[in-house]
Amino acid sequence: RRQLPRGPFPLPIIGNLHQLLFYCWKNGGIIEGYAEIEKSFGKVYTLWIGPLPTVFISDYDVAVETHIKRANVFGKRYAPGIMNYIRFDKGVVASNGDFWQDHRRFALTTLRNFGFGRNIMEERIMDEYRYRFEEFSSTGNNNRSGSFTTCARSFFDLLTGSVINKILINERFGRDDQDFQKLKTNLSKGLEQTGFLDIFCPVDILMSKWLAWKQGPIFESFDWILELTKRHIARRVSQIESGEHILHDEPDDFLDAYLMKKGKDEREGLETTFTLENLAVDMYDLWLAGQETTSTTLTWACVCLLNKPEVIQKAREELIHVTGGNRSLSLIDKKVTPYLAAVISEVQRISSIVNVNLFRIIEQDTVIDGQPLRAGTAVTAHIGMIHVDEDLFKNHLEFDPERFIREEGLDKKLIPFGIGKRACLGESLAKAELYLVLGNLLLDYNLEPVGNVPSMKSITPFGFLKRPEQFDVKFVAVK
Ligand code: HEM
């Protein structure tokens, strides 16, 4: 303990699990539980999860000093348990070393290329935006009036699910698509059944017969998603072989870009890790990391706007001024829409959708915030705690977009996508989706509650992902 930052006294075998569970239970959530620990031990403290010491950083400056300035020490992913099931050190989320570097660089470059020239990224997002709003407003009882009522979560699931699917395999999900329905059910089941502590439990133990009761909902769901990915890859490969699908110099989707890279490496006689098997895990990662996160953020945006409708009006005034009210909002407008940027920042701050960020593992003894930190410790920049830090965000419980206008540079202290070398790979795609979908939504529609205004409180305060309640919303077309 002397080689670690301060923290509550751990017991043999269980460490601080009993205190952690008690504080979270007593205070009604993970963030609230950690807040109580922080009161006694400060913004950098150690908690023993069984035999593993984990250090939580809830101080923005310390997070920058460690994760950015000393990225080499704080850049290795810790992913022993459920996170490494399916992946087995492959993919982008759980891998490390050269493999991670090559596959992350490739994915980043591919996504970046989709944002240049023809801007495939913006094209696909806007295509989905228009398609979904048109589809929903012209079916059921909606009579093409342009207005419609829908379950917010299902609507954004379908929209963002189709965007990532189009980026990956250039295909849209149909509303009644069996694969999409099963994918969503499996994803929800897998995520809901995965507890925070499963991250720390080695896969071998999770797969043992003692935990058989847990394996069905978790492993079968993730297995099925990987199978779906493999099916898409096999179909594309056979279409290319039969001449039905042609690979162009400028690939249309991630799958084509990967197959071209694989072919090039093989032609050059390189010992490549860009194989079909690894492609399935890369795509699995992008799907898993990119869909639920963006959809949940957009659903939270609706919750915030329904709770503070005056924000809708103010944002629309800015957007009409910029677009003249006769065209859609585009990414090129970003520089001249500070209020919309502030709304999105505040939605991401107050929703802070990951209750506990992913961990890094330290491989050499070092120092953190003036305290020793020994090799073998897992560390995380605690996003959820940084976003409620009263020193940075006064009255943190209030949804107040203006805070980002009043204080220049405050958005730099917002880290919804994590921080440093392992920060979110899909940040630019997610930001483009949030800007285009939310901006155009505010330009084109009023939001009205159906029944009670949804609560700002999460229904999953103990889960990995912080979700809002399920609610319906009415989108009323602006004339
Ligand atoms: C609002 C939406 C999103 C949020 C809030 C979010 C948040 C995060 C966070 C907090 C991390 C962990 C960062 C860390 O360890 O410090 C992460 C990692 C990651 N995200 Fe996202 N994400 C979002 C959207 C996406 C999208 C759209 C994609 C894919 C296209 C994506 C792909 C990934 C990947 C692959 C990683 C692992 C990166 C690595 O370990 O190198 N995310 N994300």
Side-chain angles (χ1 to χ4, degrees):
R1 285 187 70 216
R2 262 183 275 127
Q3 291 167 290
L4 290 164
R6 59 190 162 264
F9 189 81
L11 294 178
I13 305 175
I14 60 168
N16 299 116
L17 278 176
H18 58 303
Q19 287 138 315
L20 179 60
L21 295 176
F22 174 70
Y23 287 136
C24 292
W25 168 79
K26 185 179 124 196
N27 294 291
I30 295 182
I31 296 298
E32 292 77 3
Y34 280 110
E36 183 154 348
I37 299 171
E38 192 182 296
K39 272 188 220 150
S40 310
F41 298 98
K43 290 183 185 174
V44 178
Y45 54 84
T46 307
L47 282 182
W48 289 74
I49 308 289
L52 178 80
T54 59
V55 168
F56 288 79
I57 303 170
S58 305
D59 183 301
Y60 173 77
D61 292 329
V62 178
V64 170
E65 203 279 318
T66 51
H67 285 60
I68 295 182
K69 297 195 182 145
R70 289 192 283 147
N72 285 340
V73 181
F74 288 82
K76 186 168 181 204
R77 179 69 78 220
Y78 178 71
I82 188 78
M83 273 179 68
N84 213 11
Y85 176 73
I86 293 273
R87 300 178 172 105
F88 295 103
D89 301 325
K90 299 294 189 299
V92 189
V93 175
S95 61
N96 279 303
D98 289 345
F99 185 97
W100 166 74
Q101 204 158 8
D102 291 347
H103 286 251
R104 178 172 168 114
R105 190 182 300 135
F106 170 77
L108 267 180
T109 311
T110 306
L111 289 184
R112 202 169 296 140
N113 289 344
F114 287 167
F116 287 137
R118 204 180 114 206
N119 204 337
I120 293 178
M121 202 187 270
E122 176 158 4
E123 219 175 72
R124 301 254 152 104
I125 298 169
M126 284 310 291
D127 208 26
E128 273 318 299
Y129 170 82
R130 292 190 186 106
Y131 180 85
R132 290 302 161 195
F133 276 92
E134 167 66 23
E135 181 193 33
F136 273 68
S137 62
S138 59
T139 50
N141 297 327
N142 296 311
N143 305 327
R144 290 192 173 272
S145 65
S147 307
F148 62 98
T149 298
T150 181
C151 163
R153 183 163 138 195
S154 310
F155 181 76
F156 289 121
D157 275 349
L158 196 54
L159 203 166
T160 57
S162 275
V163 169
I164 187 84
N165 223 35
K166 280 191 134 191
I167 300 280
L168 293 179
I169 58 171
N170 202 5
E171 275 179 35
R172 162 179 293 144
F173 283 123
R175 211 164 158 179
D176 302 316
D177 191 314
Q178 290 302 309
D179 274 349
F180 180 72
Q181 296 306 337
K182 203 161 170 204
L183 191 66
K184 276 308 308 166
T185 316
N186 278 317
L187 200 56
S188 302
K189 232 179 7 177
L191 286 172
E192 274 157 24
Q193 297 290 328
T194 305
F196 158 53
L197 295 176
D198 291 328
I199 295 174
F200 299 97
C201 188
V203 180
D204 291 346
I205 298 181
L206 277 172
M207 289 179 82
S208 69
K209 61 178 189 238
W210 293 287
L211 290 179
W213 57 276
K214 224 173 152 55
Q215 288 158 9
I218 298 184
F219 294 127
E220 278 169 23
S221 311
F222 291 139
D223 286 345
W224 189 86
I225 297 173
L226 185 71
E227 276 318 304
L228 180 69
T229 313
K230 285 184 177 163
R231 239 194 296 144
H232 282 298
I233 296 170
R235 198 178 63 196
R236 176 72 56 89
V237 170
S238 96
Q239 284 171 337
I240 292 171
E241 280 166 2
S242 69
E244 205 184 318
H245 183 91
I246 313 278
L247 290 175
H248 300 289
D249 283 348
E250 282 192 17
D252 255 1
D253 57 29
F254 183 86
L255 180 48
D256 272 5
Y258 191 104
L259 292 174
M260 287 166 77
K261 159 87 178 140
K262 173 177 171 294
K264 181 169 173 284
D265 283 2
E266 285 167 356
R267 280 194 303 281
E268 289 173 5
L270 299 176
E271 212 177 287
T272 183
T273 56
F274 288 81
T275 62
L276 291 185
E277 218 165 78
N278 291 340
L279 167 59
V281 187
D282 282 359
M283 280 178 48
Y284 167 90
D285 263 354
L286 295 178
W287 222 103
L288 222 59
Q291 198 273 328
E292 202 77 2
T293 44
T294 318
S295 167
T296 305
T297 306
L298 285 166
T299 311
W300 272 117
C302 285
V303 176
C304 297
L305 294 169
L306 287 169
N307 275 276
K308 210 165 181 184
E310 60 270 30
V311 172
I312 303 178
Q313 202 47 45
K314 193 157 178 197
R316 182 169 308 124
E317 278 164 24
E318 175 182 82
L319 300 174
I320 290 179
H321 177 72
V322 167
T323 61
N326 50 26
R327 66 164 173 91
S328 296
L329 190 71
S330 154
L331 290 177
I332 51 165
D333 299 316
K334 255 183 146 177
K335 284 200 185 94
V336 285
T337 50
Y339 189 72
L340 176 60
V343 172
I344 295 173
S345 293
E346 183 65 347
V347 166
Q348 289 210 275
R349 184 197 70 77
I350 210 156
S351 62
S352 271
I353 61 165
V354 286
N355 267 327
V356 178
N357 190 12
L358 307 182
F359 282 81
R360 320 284 169 88
I361 189 85
I362 304 303
E363 290 187 306
Q364 64 191 71
D365 292 347
T366 183
V367 171
I368 184 170
D369 195 26
Q371 306 179 72
L373 181 66
R374 70 160 206 232
T377 307
V379 176
T380 193
H382 203 169
I383 299 176
M385 289 300 297
I386 291 175
H387 288 175
V388 297
D389 185 343
E390 275 290 315
D391 294 337
L392 301 175
F393 305 103
K394 294 255 166 321
N395 301 325
H396 70 264
L397 289 175
E398 196 188 331
F399 175 65
D400 174 22
E402 259 92 358
R403 70 172 81 239
F404 290 97
I405 310 258
R406 285 193 301 270
E407 192 177 331
E408 206 183 316
L410 188 60
D411 56 331
K412 303 278 176 299
K413 311 224 158 124
L414 197 69
I415 53 163
F417 299 100
I419 183 166
K421 220 170 153 175
R422 300 302 298 243
C424 180
L425 181 149
E427 181 170 346
S428 59
L429 172 60
K431 279 184 165 166
E433 283 185 78
L434 295 179
Y435 184 82
L436 290 171
V437 173
L438 207 56
N440 282 296
L441 173 62
L442 287 168
L443 198 53
D444 299 339
Y445 294 90
N446 268 322
L447 278 73
E448 287 179 7
V450 178
N452 292 337
V453 172
S455 166
M456 295 289 285
K457 266 183 120 89
S458 170
I459 53 161
T460 53
F462 300 99
F464 179 66
L465 203 68
K466 192 174 140 201
R467 280 188 164 145
E469 65 183 71
Q470 190 114 308
F471 62 94
D472 283 352
V473 57
K474 186 166 186 190
F475 293 120
V476 182
V478 178
K479 294 279 178 287

